[in-house]
Amino acid sequence: KISSLSCSGSRSSKTFKPKKNIPEGSHQYELLKHAEATLGSGNLRMAVMLPDGEDLNEWVAVNTVDFFNQINMLYGTITDFCTEESCPVMSAGPKYEYHWADGTNIKKPIKCSAPKYIDYLMTWVQDQLDDETLFPSKIGVPFPKNFMSVAKTILKRLFRVYAHIYHQHFDPVIQLQEEAHLNTSFKHFIFFVQEFNLIDRRELAPLQELIEKLTSKDR
């Protein structure tokens, strides 16, 4: 449906990461199908709940991959509007500015443009998702003890991409008729992180009003 995904220009294609696929036939694939089926019912609160008898780590892993793919696609539609010139800093409104550090390659937070920050962020997330010791895709391979803290960091950072899109690029989202898609994706994300308490409330502050508006109908 999204014709604007071709992302012309070298920078935007660089930012648009390849989709992370969950292998068909795997248990995680079954979980993803379950998630999609319950989402189809329209009840997002139900859709995010841990299915009976399932492992919480695996449920968080499958959904984290799915959110990465969704945000990747949503950001991919507006890369032409998010440039070094339009967004010289990574911000979510005037009060919130993000500086990048990943703790390994870049230890001291650096100030950079939004497209550069989001490229760093999505590349970093992709590296985590591709790490079999962190996100095991094979049946019976256990999740590491630090899995949940890694997942929380990933989700905290993915939230910043939503926050940037909402604060700085909502007009093009409306022009592209992506508003409903963005809202549904973000609402699903928020219900998920609320259900399992995965992001600190302070981190959600840039979109607090929107979160209250989107979630108040479904209490």
Side-chain angles (χ1 to χ4, degrees):
K1 174 194 160 289
I2 304 164
S3 56
S4 46
L5 275 183
S6 58
C7 289
S8 57
S10 59
R11 191 198 60 71
S12 31
S13 56
K14 184 168 108 297
T15 306
F16 191 64
K17 303 283 163 222
K19 191 168 189 285
K20 166 82 178 159
N21 284 318
I22 290 174
E24 265 188 68
S26 68
H27 184 60
Q28 292 185 4
Y29 187 77
E30 296 304 314
L31 275 181
L32 182 65
K33 289 282 156 248
H34 169 86
E36 285 169 357
T38 50
L39 274 175
S41 73
N43 185 335
L44 286 171
R45 285 263 182 241
M46 290 286 292
V48 298
M49 287 176 182
L50 181 66
D52 285 347
E54 293 298 344
D55 176 55
L56 178 60
N57 284 344
E58 200 154 34
W59 184 237
V60 169
V62 165
N63 282 278
T64 300
V65 169
D66 193 36
F67 289 127
F68 167 77
N69 287 335
Q70 287 184 42
I71 293 166
N72 195 7
M73 190 162 75
L74 285 161
Y75 182 69
T77 64
I78 56 103
T79 48
D80 290 346
F81 305 96
C82 186
T83 63
E84 301 283 328
E85 296 72 40
S86 70
C87 303
V89 296
M90 173 64 179
S91 64
K95 287 197 296 201
Y96 300 96
E97 186 177 307
Y98 300 113
H99 297 176
W100 178 255
D102 58 16
T104 46
N105 299 326
I106 300 172
K107 293 195 163 108
K108 192 165 181 275
I110 56 168
K111 192 171 181 167
C112 53
S113 68
K116 189 86 190 111
Y117 184 101
I118 291 170
D119 191 46
Y120 277 134
L121 186 157
M122 297 302 267
T123 302
W124 176 84
V125 172
Q126 195 171 30
D127 289 344
Q128 311 305 301
L129 300 182
D130 287 340
D131 184 341
E132 279 288 326
T133 63
L134 275 178
F135 279 77
S137 59
K138 294 178 182 66
I139 300 265
V141 177
F143 283 84
K145 289 195 168 47
N146 67 332
F147 172 75
M148 209 49 92
S149 68
V150 172
K152 285 178 176 179
T153 305
I154 291 172
L155 292 164
K156 175 181 82 176
R157 289 177 171 171
L158 288 175
F159 168 80
R160 294 171 181 178
V161 185
Y162 280 120
H164 180 71
I165 294 172
Y166 272 112
H167 276 284
Q168 309 302 129
H169 302 295
F170 200 58
D171 286 347
V173 167
I174 291 170
Q175 284 161 20
L176 293 163
Q177 298 182 312
E178 283 289 315
E179 186 184 354
H181 183 178
L182 174 64
N183 285 345
T184 304
S185 173
F186 180 62
K187 189 172 175 181
H188 180 202
F189 179 89
I190 286 302
F191 279 8
F192 190 81
V193 300
Q194 286 178 342
E195 175 74 13
F196 303 106
N197 202 15
L198 297 169
I199 301 182
D200 193 302
R201 266 183 76 88
R202 284 170 312 192
E203 284 286 338
L204 299 174
L207 293 178
Q208 196 52 48
E209 279 177 45
L210 176 67
I211 290 168
E212 281 166 18
K213 197 169 119 191
L214 288 175
T215 57
S216 63
K217 299 186 190 78
D218 294 85
R219 290 229 185 275

